[in-house]
Amino acid sequence: MLIILKLLGSLALLMFGMKSMSDALQKMAGSQLRHVLGAMTTNRFTGMLTGMLVTASVQSSTATTVMTVSFVNAGLLTLAQAISVIMGANIGTTLTAWIMSAGMSFDITMAVYPAFLIGIVLIYQKRYRYIGDFLFGLSFLLLGLGTLRATGAEMHLGENQMLLDFFASFNPDSFLTTIVFLVLGGILTFCVQSSAAVMAITMILCSSGALPIYQGIALVMGENIGTTVTSNLAALSANTQARRAALAHMFFNVFGVVWILFVFRPFIDMVCGWVGYDVEMTKETAGAAAFLANAAKLSFVLAAFHTTFNVANTMILIWFIPQIERFVCWVIKPKKVDEEEDFRLHFITAGFMKTPELSVFEAQKEIQSFSERMQRMFGMVTDLLDFSSSIGGKEHGDKEMEQFKKLFARIEKYEDISDNMELEIAKYLDQVSDAHLSDETKAKIRAMLREISELESIGDACYNMARTINRKYSAKEDHFTENLYNHLHQMMGLTDQALTQMNLLMMGRKESYNVNNTFNIENEINNFRNQLKQQNIVDINNHEYTYAVGTIYMDLINECEKLGDYVVNVVEARMGLR
């Protein structure tokens, strides 16, 4: 029981080390990682290389996949480019197997303790704390591997007759045996939720001489499929493009397993030849010492197979990316709902397991969507004013009244959507802020909380304007003069320009944004409001319209001016000016 607990504990240590190391690398890379991923995917080959390098850098194919899907949703990458990046991520993730094979082959635990010492010193130095986090993660990973190796030796798996009899009960030459171990590898990976942990178990079993190489390779192939099942289940709650990308990932790995089954033994024999492993050697013919020395090479055989398999599969499928794209689009149809009218977070999903740094990126995309939605809402208010002006002093017919009410109800729905979006994004950011974050990320979260508050205020201003127009329209009282309509359209035009500038900032990089454009428009809005306020007093005194009409008119002008202030607040928050 003690040995089993030690085995499970060392697996947990390995998984924790992998996650800590990946998080630290992403914090060190920061936003540059995302810019690289967005810039270096001009064609399928650069996309594949980018996915491979990014995944090897952050030691997480999941992180690369999540970023890639985010870019597809944002329109920065096509689905075809995303598929090429995911193919590269499959190659990049094989670096983990090489690290593990090195940990299984050599006793590296003595080097871990100095790394812990250096890591803790760096963690307490603000400038180098992410390097310290990385060293701690790497040390935990290597300590877990070293403990696994020692535990495997303690268990004497190669001499455990019951275990040997169990594996011997499977016919090594049978195709059914390969399928059984393939399915077993997939199920284990799905249950453990870590292909690295299952790879470590496979390496222990193989290098101890308990598990034959062919069954071990079948387990590795199953791991490749098991990890994609997890992604597809996670993507069920995500949007259409995320589900398509997850399905493309599964198709890639399943297709690879299918064709490798046709050349199973020759392919494995070729890889064994590269590593120098003798497939024909048995304990009876070579002796226990020579057999175990030969079996010790199996961890490198598994790593070499993992890399060779994914590289070969990518070289085959990279030429058929358009066909894969058409296939996943045919399988997964877009949901037939009006997403503009339906409240649903597009980028923040409960499915994908993300690191805090990636979660902040998802939230940024959601806020961008929120911002665009608020400009659409303002456009509806403009349409509502145009509708009321088009029927002017005419008696309101049933048809006109119905159309007006329908447009007003749509604006009311957008007001509810803006309230819900603010609450949901704030709740999500609150959950993210509970994690260990970099100072830069903490500042981003504070800015984003201010952004969503100001965006919701823009929604309130739009709704207030719509209610004012509705009150005037429903009262069937005096209507605005032509000059008042012209002034309102001028003010609304300036406000829409401010919203357009705000969305340009939200969609682009703040380094390339000229904040003076927003400030200049805001000054124009303020000056025009003051001018119209003075003119309104003069026009009422001259009896050009009633005081009641002038009050409604100035309410709309003042709401436009408030809306402009909210836009400035959003821009200042994003630019980090306050």
Side-chain angles (χ1 to χ4, degrees):
M1 180 59 71
L2 185 63
I3 289 177
I4 290 172
L5 288 174
K6 192 174 178 182
L7 181 71
L8 294 174
S10 54
L11 279 173
L13 200 60
L14 182 148
M15 292 163 67
F16 177 75
M18 282 288 296
K19 186 178 185 308
S20 300
M21 189 172 68
S22 176
D23 288 354
L25 284 165
Q26 289 175 59
K27 287 174 186 175
M28 280 193 283
S31 59
Q32 295 305 314
L33 198 63
R34 298 194 290 271
H35 297 324
V36 168
L37 193 59
M40 292 181 61
T41 51
T42 51
N43 60 58
R44 67 185 76 181
F45 297 104
T46 57
M48 183 267 292
L49 289 170
T50 303
M52 182 176 69
L53 292 172
V54 169
T55 305
S57 299
V58 300
Q59 283 296 291
S60 174
S61 58
T62 301
T64 307
T65 303
V66 169
M67 281 192 287
T68 304
V69 170
S70 300
F71 281 131
V72 174
N73 292 337
L76 300 175
L77 288 180
T78 64
L79 183 58
Q81 288 172 321
I83 293 170
S84 69
V85 173
I86 290 169
M87 286 181 177
N90 272 274
I91 298 174
T93 196
T94 62
L95 179 63
T96 306
W98 287 102
I99 294 172
M100 293 171 68
S101 64
M104 290 290 179
S105 303
F106 310 105
D107 184 9
I108 51 177
T109 53
M110 294 307 294
V112 165
Y113 301 106
F116 274 129
L117 178 62
I118 296 169
I120 198 67
V121 171
L122 293 175
I123 284 173
Y124 282 101
Q125 295 185 28
K126 187 174 180 180
R127 185 176 177 184
Y128 301 108
R129 66 183 181 281
Y130 301 137
I131 299 175
D133 287 340
F134 169 74
L135 282 175
F136 253 68
L138 181 61
S139 299
F140 277 128
L141 169 65
L142 296 177
L143 184 61
L145 286 171
T147 310
L148 270 175
R149 178 175 176 271
T151 307
E154 282 180 43
M155 295 173 76
H156 302 291
L157 297 173
E159 299 169 18
N160 188 318
Q161 196 58 44
M162 189 169 67
L163 189 66
L164 291 172
D165 290 342
F166 171 74
F167 289 128
S169 66
F170 294 94
N171 181 2
D173 298 321
S174 171
F175 180 74
L176 181 61
T177 299
T178 303
I179 297 298
V180 167
F181 277 86
L182 192 150
V183 172
L184 183 62
I187 293 171
L188 280 173
T189 304
F190 176 71
C191 293
V192 179
Q193 295 282 298
S194 171
S195 58
V198 180
M199 175 68 84
I201 294 170
T202 307
M203 285 182 174
I204 288 175
L205 290 170
C206 286
S207 58
S208 65
L211 181 64
I213 181 59
Y214 297 110
Q215 282 91 318
I217 294 290
L219 279 177
V220 171
M221 289 161 57
E223 291 159 20
N224 269 13
I225 296 177
T227 193
T228 64
V229 172
T230 305
S231 299
N232 276 271
L233 288 176
L236 288 177
S237 62
N239 53 39
T240 302
Q241 292 292 64
R243 288 184 290 124
R244 285 172 175 170
L247 179 62
H249 190 198
M250 174 179 273
F251 175 84
F252 174 85
N253 282 3
V254 170
F255 178 86
V257 167
V258 169
W259 72 258
I260 206 73
L261 287 173
F262 287 98
V263 291
F264 189 61
R265 285 185 174 257
F267 194 89
I268 294 173
D269 292 344
M270 176 186 71
V271 174
C272 289
W274 292 345
V275 177
Y277 172 76
D278 188 351
V279 182
E280 304 296 331
M281 184 182 292
T282 62
K283 189 184 293 185
E284 291 74 18
T285 57
F291 176 77
L292 290 175
N294 189 46
K297 300 176 183 176
L298 282 175
S299 59
F300 285 107
V301 173
L302 290 170
F305 171 82
H306 199 206
T307 302
T308 308
F309 165 71
N310 279 293
V311 169
N313 201 28
T314 300
M315 291 302 101
I316 293 170
L317 288 179
I318 199 167
W319 306 101
F320 298 98
I321 286 177
Q323 288 76 16
I324 296 172
E325 181 184 21
R326 284 199 293 271
F327 170 73
V328 296
C329 290
W330 174 74
V331 173
I332 299 178
K333 303 289 193 300
K335 295 178 182 178
K336 294 183 178 180
V337 294
D338 187 354
E339 294 185 350
E340 302 300 337
E341 300 291 321
D342 179 55
F343 167 65
R344 184 174 64 82
L345 297 180
H346 294 262
F347 304 99
I348 295 172
T349 58
F352 283 107
M353 295 298 294
K354 297 178 279 290
T355 62
E357 305 294 322
L358 285 172
S359 298
V360 170
F361 177 64
E362 299 285 281
Q364 282 180 334
K365 292 298 175 187
E366 202 64 69
I367 293 171
Q368 179 186 321
S369 173
F370 191 3
S371 176
E372 291 168 353
R373 202 186 285 260
M374 289 304 95
Q375 185 166 14
R376 284 196 297 274
M377 185 180 182
F378 183 75
M380 292 176 205
V381 175
T382 305
D383 292 340
L384 196 71
L385 180 67
D386 290 340
F387 189 89
S388 67
S389 68
S390 67
I391 57 178
K394 294 187 289 184
E395 187 65 26
H396 302 167
D398 291 339
K399 186 178 180 181
E400 288 85 356
M401 203 67 174
E402 183 183 346
Q403 290 175 334
F404 185 89
K405 286 180 177 178
K406 187 176 179 181
L407 185 55
F408 180 70
R410 195 173 174 216
I411 294 171
E412 281 187 310
K413 189 168 187 178
Y414 263 66
E415 161 62 9
D416 291 337
I417 288 172
S418 70
D419 291 341
N420 287 329
M421 288 192 79
E422 181 194 18
L423 291 174
E424 291 299 319
I425 297 172
K427 187 194 302 182
Y428 182 75
L429 289 172
D430 185 54
Q431 291 171 351
V432 174
S433 64
D434 289 337
H436 178 57
L437 302 170
S438 63
D439 291 340
E440 181 187 3
T441 303
K442 287 177 184 175
K444 282 181 183 176
I445 289 178
R446 287 194 297 271
M448 285 191 284
L449 287 170
R450 185 184 173 201
E451 286 168 22
I452 59 174
S453 174
E454 298 296 340
L455 286 170
E456 195 276 333
S457 296
I458 290 175
D460 288 342
C462 290
Y463 183 51
N464 289 338
M465 292 174 72
R467 285 196 304 174
T468 301
I469 296 169
N470 181 55
R471 186 172 75 247
K472 172 191 166 297
Y473 179 81
S474 302
K476 300 182 182 180
E477 295 176 351
D478 293 340
H479 294 275
F480 291 150
T481 64
E482 187 176 345
N483 277 339
L484 294 186
Y485 276 120
N486 289 337
H487 293 154
L488 280 169
H489 281 107
Q490 282 179 261
M491 177 60 88
M492 286 182 154
L494 286 171
T495 308
D496 190 61
Q497 286 180 37
L499 288 166
T500 300
Q501 287 296 316
M502 177 184 74
N503 279 314
L504 284 174
L505 172 61
M506 291 298 191
M507 289 186 291
R509 294 181 65 175
K510 63 182 183 181
E511 293 83 3
S512 59
Y513 181 75
N514 185 0
V515 73
N516 290 325
N517 293 337
T518 294
F519 292 147
N520 290 339
I521 295 171
E522 170 62 9
N523 287 333
E524 283 188 62
I525 290 173
N526 290 340
N527 292 336
F528 195 42
R529 189 276 311 266
N530 294 336
Q531 178 187 334
L532 294 179
K533 188 176 180 181
Q534 295 298 323
Q535 186 64 43
N536 178 59
I537 296 171
V538 173
D539 290 344
I540 290 173
N541 286 334
N542 292 336
H543 304 291
E544 294 192 18
Y545 45 82
T546 65
Y547 182 82
V549 169
T551 301
I552 293 173
Y553 164 70
M554 283 311 300
D555 283 346
L556 293 173
I557 294 296
N558 287 328
E559 284 297 337
C560 282
E561 193 275 331
K562 285 182 190 174
L563 199 155
D565 290 340
Y566 300 142
V567 168
V568 170
N569 292 341
V570 172
V571 170
E572 286 181 343
R574 177 54 65 95
M575 297 293 290
L577 299 178
R578 284 187 189 175

